[in-house]
Amino acid sequence: QVQLVASGGGLVQAGGSLRLSCAASGRTFRNYAVGWFRQAPWKAREFVAADSWSGFNTYYADSVKGRFTISRDNAKNTMYLQMNSLKPEDTAVYYCVADRYYQEGTGVKYAYWGQGTQVTVSS
């Protein structure tokens, strides 16, 4: 199993940047695909980014493509979401996730979830 703890959220002005971190427990973290969901009030949950365990496959939702970057440091058991050029519509609770199987697109189901970190972008 993998336990995830997300951090790095906060309040930022539009156009600014934030980097979310997600620390994972477990020695086999390097074998897991990782990703990020977000949930905004009164909106459907959105899967925004994913990275396979090998790093060969990466996914970004169209809404964040070119602005967000997912990465991981297996030596530190940590994954990141670098968010640049933030917009008010990026305001949401962001959840890091992990699974033994890489999935992308809509309707994905990741087995392990972090607790979420709030990102608020002011206009």
Side-chain angles (χ1 to χ4, degrees), residues 3 8 10-11 17 21 24 37-38 42-43 46-47 54-55 58-59 74 79 84 87 91 96 109:
Q3 292 183 325
L11 174 64
S17 298
S21 299
F37 279 90
R38 68 184 180 184
W42 305 293
K43 292 185 179 180
E46 182 182 17
F47 187 51
S54 66
T58 306
Y59 165 83
N74 288 331
M79 64 174 133
N84 299 328
K87 305 174 181 180
T91 296
C96 53
K109 294 183 180 180

Side-chain angles (χ1 to χ4, degrees), residues 29-113:
F29 173 72
R30 64 178 64 249
N31 296 329
Y32 284 74
V34 297
W36 293 87
F37 279 90
R38 68 184 180 184
Q39 177 81 63
W42 305 293
K43 292 185 179 180
R45 187 173 61 194
E46 182 182 17
F47 187 51
V48 297
D51 185 48
S52 63
W53 67 269
S54 66
F56 289 159
N57 294 295
T58 306
Y59 165 83
Y60 295 99
D62 288 342
S63 58
V64 307
K65 200 172 294 183
R67 300 187 298 120
F68 289 13
T69 302
I70 188 172
S71 62
R72 62 194 300 168
D73 185 336
N74 288 331
K76 295 182 178 180
N77 275 12
T78 302
M79 64 174 133
Y80 306 96
L81 186 68
Q82 178 67 44
M83 305 185 295
N84 299 328
S85 302
L86 283 162
K87 305 174 181 180
E89 51 264 44
D90 295 319
T91 296
V93 177
Y94 284 72
Y95 298 90
C96 53
V97 296
D99 197 283
R100 292 300 304 270
Y101 303 100
Y102 173 77
Q103 305 161 67
E104 65 178 47
T106 58
V108 300
K109 294 183 180 180
Y110 276 69
Y112 304 104
W113 288 67

Side-chain angles (χ1 to χ4, degrees), residues 2-15:
V2 175
Q3 292 183 325
L4 304 171
V5 179
S7 62
L11 174 64
V12 64
Q13 288 188 332

Side-chain angles (χ1 to χ4, degrees), residues 107-121:
V108 300
K109 294 183 180 180
Y110 276 69
Y112 304 104
W113 288 67
Q115 86 285 9
T117 184
Q118 176 70 47
V119 171
T120 303
V121 184

